[in-house]
Amino acid sequence: MKKVSNLIKAFSFLGKASVMVMMLFFILAIIPSLLTSHSPYIPSGGALTPPSTLHWMGTDDLGIDLWAQICHGARSSLIVGFGTAFLAAGGGSLIGILGGYYGGKLDGCLMRSIDLMMVVPELPTMIVLGAFFGPSKMNIIIVLSLFSWTRPARIVRSKILSIKEEKYVKVAEGYGGGFSYLARRHFLPQVFPLIMVNFIKLISRAIVAEASLSFLGLGDPTSKSWGLILNHAMSFRGIYFTDFWKWWIIFPLLCIVLMVLAISLISKEIENLLC
Amino acid sequence: MIKKALLEVKNLEVDYPYGTEKITAVREVSFTIEEGNVLGIIGESGSGKTSIALALMGLHDKAVETNGEILYNDEYLHTLSEKALNKYRWRDIAIVFQNHLDVLNPVMTIREQILEAIKKHLNLGKKEMDKKIKELLKMVHLEEKWCHAYPHQLSGGMRQKVLIAMSLACDPKLLIVDEPTTALDAISKEEILQLLEGLHKNKKFAMLLISHDMYVIQRLSNKIMVMYEGRVLEEGVTKDVLENPMHVYTRGLLDASLDINPYQDLWGIPEGNKDEETAGCIFQERCYQKKESCREKIPELQYVSLERKVACNRGGIITLLEGRHIHKTYGDGRNPIIACNNCSIKVRSGEIVALIGQSGSGKTTLATILSGLLEEDGGEVLFDEKSVLGNNFTSRKKGIQIIFQDPFSATNGGFTVEEIVKEPLDILKSDTKEEKNRMVKKALEEVQLPITKDFLQRKCSSLSGGQRQRLAIARGLVMEPKLLIADEISSMLDPSTKANVLRLLKGLQNKFGFAMLYITHDLALARKISNKVYIMYQGNIIEEGSACEVFEKPQSDYGKRLLGV
């Protein structure tokens, strides 16, 4: 924990601001019902009312409060983003370390399966899998992870391949250090920044991907994720000819952009400090 | 032809009284001197050399206890009375005393002193005596005018000559020469040596030569006896012993001798701590191949080869690492690169072996195979007579450690100084935390790095190459290796850092006595530090031998080309 706070202290102003923004989003995700008195599911005012003191961000076509939707949507967006990133970056890194360290047949098998994953068209498969498993947050996370682990795995593997040849690894092997020791002391600390950067990129990617899956009706329709709000708004016919987009599209979009921007700024800071 | 034994000494013991106790200066010393032969006795100060000489002459004080048999020409000297002994003294056995100013009587002239010896033992007339003195002076190349000088008017070399002249007064058959050249300058030393050589050739007397100077022994003796604390540790033909010492102590003496060992730095035999009196081998405190059993068992002087005896429980210097017919090929079957072809190499305990050769000659491959980190295609590697397989010797204390060329690759930049040095201990999980910290600090002190808390927590990436190389050495040292393989460790360092690192390593080697296999393409360096040299060329070991031999007279064509001979 101390390390994390030290790291954040070393951030630049932009980095610190990004952390602040992320923390705000986290607060939204944790206690949405305390921040808004309106329900995200039931209409609480007139349809398509512009932002006012009663409805801070206005309402959608059904008269549901947009601020309430965004507050509740933050949780599902963050869960999907972080969940996918954890699973994909963690699993991918482990596979990369295993393949890079052991080499040989294991490495061959892992690399070929990565190749396989890369040639499979992503979206159609995701749609099929999404439809097959049924729409739920858990399934979305699994499906997204399934297509996201290849990048971190390849990057980590290539790094491990070069670290493996370093003499200090040979020396540690000479002292009797096994795979778990080497992974813990030598590999992970060095690939950690790479994993971090990938992790954070994956978060934004997953948030966007979740939005697209939601758009296709494969998202969890009960959870008001930001992607769902956005898709809902965009499917409103002729929205750009009206003023409605000024709140209905801008606010969720702003949230997605802000979050992705904050995440990428943090990833850049981490990259600068750790790599 | 076997010459007749002139003097035979059996189980000689000399004890000096010291208060109520006694101090044993000579223990169980036995030797024989044949007619016309020269036996050299060598050893550090206080090893009992002079006590033997005095015992042979029967010159010890009454209080000094001498035991054992001294057989001279079938006569037991030790049984004789003082009077009977006098018959032999000077006439048969004469001694050239160690050259001190007070050996000669300061108030007697040179002539009077020589005369004294003649008068006592020879019945000569005055004229004959004069003649004899002149003869003797001529014999030792001393001008006659010095006859009437007093000892203090003579130089050290001249006094030594007077002492020799005195001892030769009665044409003895056995001459005991005690430290003939100590405190003499190079020219006088050479003069005395030539004189003794010449006299020995002409007079054909046998000689017992006592010296701590290897060069003197090498020049004059044909057999040698190495003494330590009153015991004989090694015995053999001088040439063989000097070329291939079999006892750790003998090798230490040779390494400390400038004349025998002109290129290397000088290092004495490290002092051991003599706190506890143990019953076993007397050399064990300073020995680095000792075993537990050495504490109890007194080694006997035994034959290890023809005309060579060594008193060591382990049978002399042991072979620590042996690579037999090592073979290694890289690449595929169609296009093989033979990195090692039938390479055999031996490293004895406490020895520095240099493996030299140009880049790509397979040195590093061989070294990595020897350490066990690389598997050989053929052949076997033995460490302490057990096979080296994988990391079975690098992963334990008192085994093999390897130090690599590139310190930046050998130490993880993300680790702190403490973590680097502690790593092997962490992996072994054998010591407590406090113990580990203590060992880390000790190792860092050994390699002359600071041990402040601040430094211990510093990231390794903030250190210089020389510091990181020392760190790598410290990491090797916490494992207390018996063999250190150093692979071009100095080639990436600047000359000053290189000198520091090497001096450090050599000092540590001398202190802990580990053996070292030093791989280098730097010839001057190899000559400076190594005892033995192997030359590698295109995967083959084409030349091996002692450093002096190989550098002065390489046998192979490539060796000649490489060394520019």
Side-chain angles (χ1 to χ4, degrees):
Chain A
M1 216 50 221
K2 208 178 159 198
K3 261 188 178 170
V4 176
S5 70
N6 278 343
L7 187 71
I8 292 171
K9 268 182 202 155
F11 278 6
S12 67
F13 171 73
L14 263 179
K16 281 176 185 161
S18 310
V19 174
M20 287 299 290
V21 169
M22 281 310 289
M23 276 161 97
L24 281 177
F25 280 124
F26 272 113
I27 292 169
L28 285 192
I30 295 164
I31 44 167
S33 43
L34 293 181
L35 297 170
T36 168
S37 49
H38 302 293
S39 159
Y41 305 109
I42 301 161
S44 53
L48 298 167
T49 48
S52 63
T53 45
L54 188 65
H55 301 288
W56 295 349
M57 291 185 178
T59 57
D60 64 3
D61 55 346
L62 296 174
I64 302 172
D65 186 55
L66 216 53
W67 169 239
Q69 290 190 44
I70 282 175
C71 283
H72 284 86
R75 183 182 289 178
S76 62
S77 285
L78 280 176
I79 286 178
V80 170
F82 276 86
T84 308
F86 261 122
L87 223 72
S93 312
L94 187 70
I95 287 169
I97 292 177
L98 278 170
Y101 179 68
Y102 285 109
K105 275 183 188 156
L106 179 70
D107 188 37
C109 287
L110 292 171
M111 286 307 111
R112 293 302 76 76
S113 56
I114 285 180
D115 291 346
L116 195 73
M117 289 306 291
M118 287 178 92
V119 292
V120 169
E122 206 169 316
L123 203 61
T125 321
M126 272 205 274
I127 292 167
V128 170
L129 285 174
F132 185 72
F133 288 122
S136 87
K137 236 180 273 173
M138 195 61 194
N139 290 345
I140 289 175
I141 291 173
I142 291 172
V143 168
L144 283 176
S145 309
L146 217 53
F147 284 93
S148 315
W149 64 271
T150 52
R151 240 180 101 80
R154 282 168 68 99
I155 291 172
V156 166
R157 174 184 172 266
S158 66
K159 180 76 180 171
I160 297 297
L161 281 182
S162 77
I163 300 176
K164 197 175 78 168
E165 291 307 312
E166 293 281 357
K167 292 288 192 270
Y168 56 79
V169 173
K170 302 258 180 236
V171 170
E173 281 176 326
Y175 292 134
F179 172 75
S180 67
Y181 173 85
L182 290 175
R184 193 159 41 86
R185 296 301 307 274
H186 288 287
F187 297 154
L188 274 181
Q190 288 194 66
V191 294
F192 184 71
L194 286 178
I195 298 176
M196 250 344 246
V197 171
N198 261 287
F199 174 76
I200 284 165
K201 277 182 188 154
L202 280 173
I203 296 175
S204 32
R205 188 170 169 270
I207 289 172
V208 175
E210 188 263 350
S212 30
L213 276 182
S214 301
F215 170 73
L216 291 167
L218 296 164
D220 188 354
T222 57
S223 75
K224 286 274 176 192
S225 74
W226 295 340
L228 210 63
I229 304 172
L230 210 56
N231 285 320
H232 198 86
M234 294 213 318
S235 59
F236 187 81
R237 202 165 292 183
I239 188 165
Y240 296 112
F241 297 109
T242 65
D243 278 344
F244 309 149
W245 63 271
K246 284 180 185 160
W247 61 91
W248 199 4
I249 286 185
I250 288 283
F251 286 119
L253 193 66
L254 206 64
C255 282
I256 293 180
V257 168
L258 257 180
M259 186 150 147
V260 171
L261 194 67
I263 290 170
S264 62
L265 277 172
I266 291 171
S267 96
K268 213 179 140 208
E269 289 288 334
I270 292 174
E271 209 172 340
N272 285 344
L273 289 172
L274 293 184
C275 292
Chain B
M1 189 187 84
I2 299 167
K3 288 179 183 167
K4 197 183 157 224
L6 187 67
L7 179 79
E8 251 187 283
V9 174
K10 273 183 201 154
N11 295 329
L12 183 68
E13 286 212 32
V14 180
D15 298 304
Y16 288 92
Y18 180 74
T20 51
E21 297 167 45
K22 54 183 186 178
I23 291 175
T24 312
V26 178
R27 317 176 215 211
E28 294 173 35
V29 171
S30 308
F31 59 90
T32 352
I33 303 178
E34 290 85 15
E35 275 173 7
N37 266 2
V38 182
L39 173 69
I41 301 183
I42 197 159
E44 289 173 306
S45 305
S47 56
K49 306 184 297 282
T50 304
S51 294
I52 293 181
L54 294 179
L56 292 181
M57 292 293 283
L59 288 175
H60 273 302
D61 214 59
K62 284 254 155 43
V64 179
E65 226 179 280
T66 22
N67 293 312
E69 293 178 2
I70 303 168
L71 186 67
Y72 174 81
N73 253 350
D74 306 324
E75 182 82 53
Y76 286 101
L77 292 189
H78 60 281
T79 56
L80 296 181
S81 66
E82 191 73 6
K83 209 174 160 192
L85 201 58
N86 258 339
K87 256 175 58 189
Y88 287 95
R89 278 187 201 147
W90 231 255
R91 248 174 213 269
D92 288 286
I93 308 175
I95 182 163
V96 181
F97 283 105
Q98 203 164 346
N99 185 11
H100 291 302
L101 199 56
D102 55 3
V103 173
L104 294 167
N105 190 337
V107 295
M108 282 165 80
T109 60
I110 299 305
R111 184 174 178 279
E112 283 167 337
Q113 311 225 13
I114 301 176
L115 203 60
E116 202 181 28
I118 299 173
K119 247 191 213 164
K120 247 199 176 141
H121 298 283
L122 301 172
N123 287 322
L124 292 176
K126 202 167 182 279
K127 268 192 184 161
E128 283 167 312
M129 280 199 276
D130 271 338
K131 207 179 134 204
K132 183 84 188 171
I133 289 173
K134 273 179 198 165
E135 245 175 57
L136 284 171
L137 288 180
K138 204 178 154 197
M139 206 150 64
V140 298
H141 309 301
L142 203 62
E143 285 169 60
E144 236 173 87
K145 64 175 179 188
W146 297 107
C147 247
H148 301 287
Y150 286 93
H152 68 270
Q153 291 171 310
L154 267 55
S155 72
M158 286 161 134
R159 277 205 300 275
Q160 187 70 54
K161 286 179 180 174
V162 172
L163 286 170
I164 295 173
M166 282 168 72
S167 68
L168 292 174
C170 312
D171 283 321
K173 292 209 180 65
L174 174 68
L175 192 65
I176 301 172
V177 188
D178 192 359
E179 304 280 9
T181 60
T182 8
L184 292 186
D185 62 275
I187 295 174
S188 317
K189 181 173 161 182
E190 194 54 39
E191 218 174 36
I192 297 289
L193 287 179
Q194 274 171 10
L195 178 67
L196 282 171
E197 242 172 0
L199 288 171
H200 177 249
K201 216 172 176 182
N202 292 333
K203 298 257 174 190
K204 306 252 185 302
F205 48 73
M207 202 151 59
L208 179 66
L209 179 66
I210 293 166
S211 180
H212 53 233
D213 189 339
M214 269 291 174
Y215 179 64
V216 174
I217 301 277
Q218 187 194 25
R219 275 283 293 271
L220 295 177
S221 72
N222 36 28
K223 274 182 85 180
I224 188 172
M225 213 161 84
V226 183
M227 287 196 68
Y228 179 72
E229 296 209 348
R231 273 185 198 282
V232 180
L233 293 187
E234 183 163 5
E235 199 184 310
V237 178
T238 308
K239 195 169 162 280
D240 294 351
V241 173
L242 296 191
E243 266 172 19
N244 183 23
M246 299 282 272
H247 197 284
V248 177
Y249 178 63
T250 317
R251 185 175 58 201
L253 288 179
L254 286 174
D255 283 350
S257 164
L258 261 186
D259 302 287
I260 307 287
N261 182 15
Y263 298 112
Q264 295 181 19
D265 276 340
L266 281 184
W267 295 93
I269 307 170
E271 293 293 334
N273 45 337
K274 294 220 82 180
D275 309 338
E276 41 182 330
E277 199 68 34
T278 42
C281 176
I282 38 164
F283 190 63
Q284 55 152 324
E285 292 96 355
R286 298 170 77 179
C287 183
Y288 33 68
Q289 55 174 30
K290 60 172 174 264
K291 275 193 160 173
E292 265 313 298
S293 59
C294 293
R295 295 169 78 85
E296 284 118 39
K297 197 177 155 209
I298 299 175
E300 277 174 37
L301 197 63
Q302 283 170 331
Y303 278 104
V304 288
S305 62
L306 199 68
E307 292 194 81
R308 179 74 75 89
K309 285 177 178 176
V310 168
C312 179
N313 284 333
R314 308 205 61 188
I317 303 171
I318 53 166
T319 299
L320 202 56
L321 182 83
E322 191 177 359
R324 288 187 193 151
H325 314 295
I326 290 168
H327 197 88
K328 178 84 189 169
T329 312
Y330 288 118
D332 51 25
R334 273 167 297 165
N335 199 6
I337 299 159
I338 298 170
C340 291
N341 185 19
N342 202 12
C343 293
S344 295
I345 193 167
K346 251 186 200 180
V347 181
R348 298 201 300 169
S349 119
E351 188 172 66
I352 299 189
V353 175
L355 181 61
I356 55 180
Q358 65 197 53
S359 304
S361 54
K363 307 186 295 283
T364 299
T365 304
L366 182 59
T368 323
I369 289 173
L370 290 175
S371 72
L373 296 182
L374 186 71
E375 207 178 326
E376 65 269 21
D377 292 343
E380 60 174 342
V381 184
L382 298 174
F383 180 81
D384 223 349
E385 291 169 358
K386 288 179 209 87
S387 293
V388 173
L389 296 168
N391 60 10
N392 63 345
F393 281 103
T394 47
S395 64
R396 62 174 230 199
K397 288 193 176 175
K398 303 202 190 302
I400 304 173
Q401 286 300 312
I402 183 161
I403 296 172
F404 293 99
Q405 177 174 14
D406 181 2
F408 294 100
S409 165
T411 48
N412 187 340
F415 276 32
T416 62
V417 168
E418 192 181 9
E419 283 171 332
I420 293 265
V421 183
K422 214 196 258 180
E423 184 173 24
L425 303 174
D426 279 341
I427 295 177
L428 285 186
K429 295 184 183 133
S430 57
D431 302 282
T432 61
K433 208 175 165 197
E434 290 77 35
E435 187 71 2
K436 277 190 216 167
N437 288 340
R438 194 188 57 74
M439 284 158 86
V440 167
K441 282 188 180 158
K442 190 166 153 260
L444 284 173
E445 268 176 345
E446 301 288 1
V447 299
Q448 291 162 14
L449 285 173
I451 51 163
T452 55
K453 213 175 167 193
D454 189 41
F455 185 78
L456 285 177
Q457 296 308 326
R458 250 173 89 175
K459 276 268 184 305
C460 185
S461 50
S462 67
L463 300 180
S464 71
Q467 281 175 315
R468 282 176 83 162
Q469 192 61 284
R470 279 191 234 177
L471 214 52
I473 295 173
R475 178 178 57 193
L477 287 180
V478 292
M479 298 289 274
E480 301 158 22
K482 275 192 182 162
L483 174 73
L484 201 67
I485 298 178
D487 185 3
E488 301 263 21
I489 56 166
S490 61
S491 62
M492 288 182 72
L493 306 175
D494 66 272
S496 163
T497 316
K498 175 171 152 182
N500 281 334
V501 166
L502 282 174
R503 272 195 73 80
L504 180 87
L505 206 58
K506 177 67 198 161
L508 292 170
Q509 193 267 339
N510 195 57
K511 188 170 168 191
F512 298 119
F514 49 77
M516 204 150 95
L517 177 63
Y518 196 92
I519 293 135
T520 184
H521 51 233
D522 188 338
L523 300 175
L525 187 69
R527 172 181 252 188
K528 184 95 189 147
I529 62 164
S530 59
N531 308 99
K532 272 190 93 178
V533 174
Y534 287 84
I535 300 180
M536 232 178 144
Y537 180 58
Q538 291 182 344
N540 293 294
I541 288 181
I542 51 161
E543 182 137 7
E544 60 173 284
S546 74
C548 278
E549 233 172 71
V550 171
F551 279 105
E552 284 185 359
K553 293 188 258 344
Q555 302 294 318
S556 61
D557 288 344
Y558 177 73
K560 281 177 191 154
R561 224 163 1 115
L562 183 74
L563 301 167
V565 179

